[in-house]
């Protein structure tokens, strides 16, 4: 069974850091496109970081560039999202995703999804 399970969310104060983890099972992440997305109330789900499958190109939107870092550990079959200098507007449910191609950092490019983990940033 293919699964992605996120962990590491919680409540933090503005300016603090948090690291999210996504453990994959049932398939090998190496060779897949990888992404982190967030769902903010009143807004569409948006990609906050992606690694393109075929060339490894990393994407960050301007809203998180310089603060968020995506990485993976092939030995643990796990993806991470390091979030620094968190802001209240970063609050939302964060999802990890994987896909065989994932050319663009948009939700329809990804086949496998985790259940999400809540991140809340207080002011």
């Amino acid at each position: 069974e293919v699964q992605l399970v996120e962990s590491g969310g919680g409540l933090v104060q503005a300016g603090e850091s948090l690291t999210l983890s996504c453990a994959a099972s049932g398939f090998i992440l190496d060779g897949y496109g990888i992404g982190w997305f967030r769902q903010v109330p009143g807004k569409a789900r948006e990609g906050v970081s992606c690694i393109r499958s075929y060339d490894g190109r990393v994407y960050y939107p301007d809203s998180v560039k310089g603060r968020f870092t995506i990485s993976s550990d092939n030995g643990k079959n796990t993806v991470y999202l390091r979030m620094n200098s968190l802001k209240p507007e970063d609050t939302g449910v964060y999802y990890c995703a994987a896909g065989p191609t994932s050319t663009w950092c948009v939700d329809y490019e990804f086949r496998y999804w985790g259940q999400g983990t809540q991140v809340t940033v207080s002011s």
Side-chain angles (χ1 to χ4, degrees):
E1 181 180 356
V2 173
Q3 285 190 318
L4 294 168
V5 180
E6 300 97 334
S7 62
L11 174 63
V12 298
Q13 292 182 319
E16 295 183 340
S17 298
L18 199 62
T19 298
L20 306 181
S21 299
C22 175
S25 61
F27 72 107
I28 305 300
L29 278 174
D30 188 26
Y32 277 75
I34 303 166
W36 282 95
F37 296 79
R38 69 184 175 194
Q39 183 75 60
V40 179
K43 297 179 64 178
R45 185 164 55 185
E46 63 176 343
V48 296
S49 186
C50 291
I51 304 175
R52 197 152 64 186
S53 61
Y54 49 91
D55 64 0
R57 184 176 179 180
V58 179
Y59 165 84
Y60 302 97
D62 290 341
S63 59
V64 308
K65 190 174 297 182
R67 299 189 298 118
F68 288 14
T69 303
I70 188 172
S71 63
S72 61
D73 185 331
N74 290 334
K76 296 182 178 180
N77 210 30
T78 299
V79 181
Y80 304 94
L81 182 67
R82 178 64 175 176
M83 303 181 292
N84 295 324
S85 302
L86 282 164
K87 306 174 181 179
E89 52 262 42
D90 294 320
T91 294
V93 179
Y94 284 71
Y95 301 86
C96 66
T101 55
S102 59
T103 300
W104 312 107
C105 197
V106 291
D107 55 3
Y108 58 78
E109 289 284 327
F110 294 83
R111 181 175 183 179
Y112 305 119
W113 291 83
Q115 83 290 345
T117 185
Q118 177 71 43
V119 173
T120 303
V121 184
S122 63
S123 60

